[in-house]
């Protein structure tokens, strides 16, 4: 740290180069948990587009598909149309509240386990270990001069990076088109240029962010850590070095020579060596820590080797840290997970989820929107009737052709016909055929005896005729002049 | 205020010599890249002046060696647009207007194009959406047509106009000024009004309407039909329905019989191209009152049951 006096001299540069991070291999509960989460998340990411889902002949059979060209979003049984975008908004709100929930309970657990940056960095670091060897070998190679070994190892490593990066970008585009077809088109050069562009951009970002920038993204670029600190409180579980138990540090030898003079930490630096962001947790909570708990695994390993109790570094709340420091006991983890704040978040989160599920179950797959022709608002017909004109937008959201009946309600003596029918054949209902999965526009003429009120509310309803009771109705105005002639 | 320049110890750079509250400004040279970017913009500007219109003169500007102009660009874009629309326009031109409804896609394109043309050329009189203007211009959205509401008739009306004196094809007729020219006296006109209001069910039959019936048969039936059912060949309105262009009240009817208005419409065949006129006709037809071609000759002017 430069002192103020240092600054009066001419500093060569205010820029500090990155110190390489070569995390050491570690084993333990949290490391295995991290492997498991990595396996699941990567499997979901790479595998999802290949799941098939039968939706009948008129819709794609990909389980999860963002069909930008036809403006549809398919997710298993659920199909979202653009006007139902509020479901996506609802999901985003749930994701936000879910983040509140997780963060208030276990701090930056998202960062440590599930964040794509963490998952891919972890993957790339594993590639490093496979090719260069563990921490010491990596360090030796990095600091050593260019040799044949260094050359081929670097070459091979970047090749593996690139392959992983390419697959990452390649999996992304599969969500936007039929995966098998797109794969075929991609390799035969027939895919859309945007597909190649997307793969190139995502491969480049994966290569750079996962292969080289790594922890710098988490510490300097990512806004989450700044936001997440605002969601944590004294009761959130954080990775904590129990300095009241560990300090002062001293090796096993020194501790044996001076019993009682030293704490439990043997200053072996294992916690620093395994840290994927290269920080020293013994300096206290800090923004560089993604709470991945690998240091817990490392220190626990050391503690069991030397026969001291585990948990010198542990998940611990600030409140517990204070009470443990004062000699008290920590409260059970259950209490920190189940407290008003987390329960309220959980309640809101599940309420939104339940409401969305309910409305998904209730929503109709036949949607009617009515627009009243404004110019002219009404037309006087030669037999004295008044005619209003409406444009109906009928959305058939099912993947099969349907027929619907359009009727009017609450307008005595009204008859209707459409631009394809004639007034001579006008009646109380018209039938409209709807193509599968499409919007049909119908110009609807409604005529009613004149002399009624100047403005009257009535209902136009569309009902499916194929046994499905689903339908939709909209209340709209019928206008005529009061003065009549 | 220029003061003694001095060298700043920390950086070894000279200062510009100004001091504000003890703060001095270093005379750091502009970065190279900045300077080069600046020179490049000058070169760019010179090239621009040579290639494009740039210097304003008294009534013009320098042309630029590329010969570019915004007007020229607009013309290019218009030409490109016309080219883009050519297939549809050609298809409409090649299709007989009465066959258009059988080709929904083409009909839809025609209606849309017609709507655009309508908003430029026709709204001034017939109003946005074709609602017309009471006592001046007929509504095009209802089921009452003076000269016929099928595609062919509408097309003919738009092409040739109404009451264009020097045009042979124009639709023409003239209702006599019964009052002004003294053909009927005020009492007789009042009787005719009573009769007309009776057949349109606005008044009960009376002695006056009975007298009016005779007068109507002698003076009006030749155009408006014996029962007032109208005559489309001469654009004589139907008098038995609820639609009155110039009003159906006693006062309005009296004024009309006294001095008829005989409205006119320009012949668009001389101003618009045939495709635009065809599209206009389909648009007017689509407004809600379009009629199928009547099966029987339209002499009686009673095509009401054929209208969609
Ligand atoms: S200090 Fe520990 S928990 Fe934090 S990032 Fe490093 S290894 Fe993970
Ligand atoms: S791993 Fe544990 S014992 Fe070793 S330095 Fe870190 S805190 Fe101390």
């Amino acid at each position: 740290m430069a002192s103020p006096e240092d600054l009066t001299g001419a500093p060569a540069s205010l820029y500090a180069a990155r110190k390489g991070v070569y995390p050491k291999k570690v084993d333990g509960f949290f490391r295995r948990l991290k492997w498991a989460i990595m396996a699941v998340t990567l499997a979901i990411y790479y595998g999802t587009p290949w799941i098939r889902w039968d939706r009948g002949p008129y819709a794609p059979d990909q389980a999860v598909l963002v069909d930008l060209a036809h403006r549809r979003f398919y997710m298993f049984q659920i199909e979202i149309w653009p006007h139902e975008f509020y479901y996506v908004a609802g999901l985003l709100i749930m994701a936000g509240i879910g983040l509140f929930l997780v963060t208030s309970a276990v701090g930056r657990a998202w960062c440590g386990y599930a964040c794509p940056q963490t998952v891919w960095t972890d993957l790339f670091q594993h590639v490093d270990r496979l090719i260069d060897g563990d921490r010491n070998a990596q360090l030796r190679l990095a600091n050593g001069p260019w040799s044949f070994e260094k050359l081929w190892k670097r070459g091979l490593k970047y090749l593996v990076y690139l392959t992983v990066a390419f697959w990452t970008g390649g999996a992304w585009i599969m969500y936007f088109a039929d995966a098998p077809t797109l794969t075929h088109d991609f390799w035969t050069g027939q895919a859309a240029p945007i597909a190649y562009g997307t793969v190139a951009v995502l491969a480049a970002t994966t290569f750079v962010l996962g292969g080289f920038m790594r922890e710098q993204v988490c510490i300097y670029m990512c806004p989450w850590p700044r936001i997440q600190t605002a969601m944590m409180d004294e009761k959130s579980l954080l990775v904590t070095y129990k300095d009241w138990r560990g300090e002062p540090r001293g090796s096993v030898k020194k501790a044996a020579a001076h019993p009682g003079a030293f704490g439990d930490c043997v200053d072996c630096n294992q916690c620093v060596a395994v840290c994927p962001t290269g920080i020293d947790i013994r300096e206290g909570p800090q923004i560089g820590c993604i709470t991945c708990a690998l240091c817990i695994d490392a220190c626990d390993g050391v503690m069991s080797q030397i026969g001291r109790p585990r948990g010198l570094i542990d998940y611990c709340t600030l409140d517990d840290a204070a009470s443990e420091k004062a000699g008290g006991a920590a409260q059970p983890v259950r209490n920190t997970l189940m407290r008003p704040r987390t329960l309220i978040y959980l309640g809101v989160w599940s309420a939104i989820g339940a409401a969305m599920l309910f409305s998904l179950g209730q929503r109709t797959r036949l949607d009617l929107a009515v627009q009243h022709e404004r110019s002219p608002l009404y037309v006087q017909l030669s037999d004295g009737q008044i005619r209003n004109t409406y444009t109906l937008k009928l959305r058939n959201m099912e993947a099969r052709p349907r027929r619907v009946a359009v009727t009017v309600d609450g307008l005595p003596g009204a008859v209707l016909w459409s631009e394809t029918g004639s007034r001579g054949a006008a009646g109380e209902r018209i039938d409209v055929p709807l193509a599968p999965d499409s919007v049909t526009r119908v110009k609807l003429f409604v005529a009613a005896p004149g002399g009624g009120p100047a403005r009257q509310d009535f209902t136009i309803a569309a009902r499916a005729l194929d046994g499905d009771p689903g339908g939709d109705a909209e209340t709209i105005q019928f206008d005529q002049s009061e003065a009549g002639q | 205020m220029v003061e003694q320049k001095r060298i700043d110890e920390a950086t070894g750079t000279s200062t510009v010599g100004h001091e504000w509250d003890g703060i001095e400004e270093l005379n750091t040279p502009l970065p190279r890249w900045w300077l080069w970017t600046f020179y490049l913009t000058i070169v760019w500007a010179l090239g621009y002046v040579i290639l494009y219109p740039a210097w304003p003169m008294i009534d013009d500007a320098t042309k630029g060696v590329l010969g570019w102009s915004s007007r020229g660009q607009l013309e290019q874009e218009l030409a490109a647009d016309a080219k883009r629309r050519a297939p549809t326009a050609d298809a409409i031109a090649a299709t007989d207007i009465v066959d258009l409804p059988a080709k929904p896609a083409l009909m839809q394109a025609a209606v849309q194009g017609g709507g655009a043309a309508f908003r430029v050329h026709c709204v001034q009189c017939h109003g946005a959406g074709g609602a017309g203007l009471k006592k001046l211009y007929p509504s095009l959205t209802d089921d009452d047509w003076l000269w016929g509401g099928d595609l062919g008739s509408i097309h003919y009306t738009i092409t040739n106009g109404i009451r264009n004196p020097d045009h042979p094809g124009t639709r023409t007729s003239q209702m006599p000024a019964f009052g002004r020219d003294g053909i009927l006296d005020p009492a007789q006109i009042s009787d005719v009004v009573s009769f007309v209001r009776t057949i349109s069910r606005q008044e009960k039959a009376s002695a006056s309407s009975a007298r009016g019936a005779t007068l109507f048969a002698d003076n009006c039936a030749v155009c408006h039909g014996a029962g007032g059912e109208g005559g489309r060949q001469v654009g004589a309105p139907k008098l038995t329905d609820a639609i009155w262009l110039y009003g159906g009240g006693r006062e309005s009817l009296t004024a009309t019989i006294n001095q008829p208005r005989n409205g006119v419409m320009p012949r668009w065949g001389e101003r618009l191209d045939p495709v635009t006129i065809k599209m206009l006709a389909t648009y007017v037809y689509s407004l809600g009152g379009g009629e199928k071609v009547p099966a029987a000759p339209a002499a009686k002017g009673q095509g009401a049951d054929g209208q969609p």
Side-chain angles (χ1 to χ4, degrees), chain A residues 408-439:
Chain A
V408 295
D409 257 334
L411 196 61
V415 290
L416 58 157
W417 69 100
S418 78
E419 63 202 319
T420 52
S422 81
R423 191 182 168 207
E428 284 173 353
R429 97 174 208 205
I430 57 166
D431 291 356
V432 185
L434 302 182
D437 216 14
S438 65
V439 182

Side-chain angles (χ1 to χ4, degrees), chain A residues 115-398:
Chain A
C115 171
Q117 175 65 20
T118 294
V119 170
W120 264 274
T121 299
D122 208 14
L123 192 66
F124 279 47
Q125 284 173 344
H126 192 61
V127 171
D128 290 353
R129 258 175 249 130
L130 275 182
I131 293 171
D132 292 353
D134 205 0
R135 178 178 160 87
N136 291 336
Q138 286 180 27
L139 272 167
R140 186 169 40 75
L141 208 62
N143 298 331
W146 281 98
S147 62
F148 176 69
E149 190 202 6
K150 186 164 173 173
L151 208 65
W152 76 258
K153 280 193 168 166
R154 282 289 143 92
L156 177 65
K157 194 165 77 173
Y158 294 157
L159 200 69
V160 178
Y161 281 6
L162 267 180
T163 315
V164 172
F166 170 76
W167 275 107
T168 307
W172 179 257
I173 60 171
M174 297 300 159
Y175 286 88
F176 296 88
D178 181 59
T181 319
L182 181 59
T183 310
H184 176 264
D185 289 353
F186 188 88
W187 290 110
T188 50
Q190 297 163 25
I194 182 96
Y196 296 102
T198 309
V199 171
V201 168
L202 285 179
T205 48
T206 310
F207 185 67
V208 172
L209 297 182
F212 300 95
M213 300 194 60
R214 296 188 175 176
E215 82 287 348
Q216 301 178 87
V217 175
C218 311
I219 300 177
Y220 304 113
M221 288 169 66
C222 179
W224 275 134
R226 281 94 188 150
I227 299 168
Q228 290 193 87
T229 39
M231 303 170 197
M232 296 194 283
D233 57 16
E234 311 75 36
K235 294 192 169 53
S236 309
L237 280 171
L238 303 177
V239 172
T240 310
Y241 166 68
K242 302 185 171 169
D243 53 359
W244 60 93
R245 182 185 141 190
E247 301 294 319
R249 305 164 198 169
S251 66
V252 184
K253 251 191 224 151
K254 278 199 208 161
H258 308 277
F262 291 99
D264 277 347
C265 175
V266 294
D267 210 6
C268 63
N269 266 323
Q270 288 305 303
C271 50
V272 180
V274 299
C275 177
T277 66
I279 58 166
D280 185 349
I281 190 64
R282 292 172 302 168
E283 285 169 3
Q286 51 202 289
I287 201 163
C289 175
I290 56 172
T291 60
C292 65
L294 294 186
C295 51
I296 300 182
D297 280 347
C299 190
D300 278 353
V302 173
M303 290 296 120
S304 27
Q305 258 176 31
I306 60 174
R308 291 182 188 167
R310 301 159 69 102
L312 174 54
I313 307 178
D314 205 354
Y315 270 111
C316 176
T317 69
L318 284 182
D319 276 356
D320 287 347
S323 76
E324 272 193 43
K325 208 181 250 178
Q331 50 178 328
V333 169
R334 220 181 110 259
N335 287 6
T336 74
L337 294 181
M338 311 273 275
R339 58 198 161 94
R341 183 164 166 154
T342 53
L343 290 178
I344 289 172
Y345 282 145
L346 187 66
V348 174
W349 185 83
S350 14
I352 297 176
M356 290 216 325
L357 280 180
F358 179 73
S359 98
L360 269 176
Q362 289 297 108
R363 72 187 177 152
T364 154
R365 300 278 76 195
L366 175 66
D367 182 70
L368 170 74
V370 182
Q371 201 191 352
H372 192 172
E373 178 76 59
R374 292 272 140 206
S375 79
L377 211 48
Y378 64 91
V379 173
Q380 158 106 61
L381 296 178
S382 53
D383 59 3
Q385 288 211 318
I386 302 293
R387 188 193 75 210
N388 279 206
T389 308
Y390 304 90
T391 304
L392 310 187
K393 258 206 296 186
L394 284 158
R395 277 202 197 90
N396 174 17
M397 291 183 264
E398 281 188 11

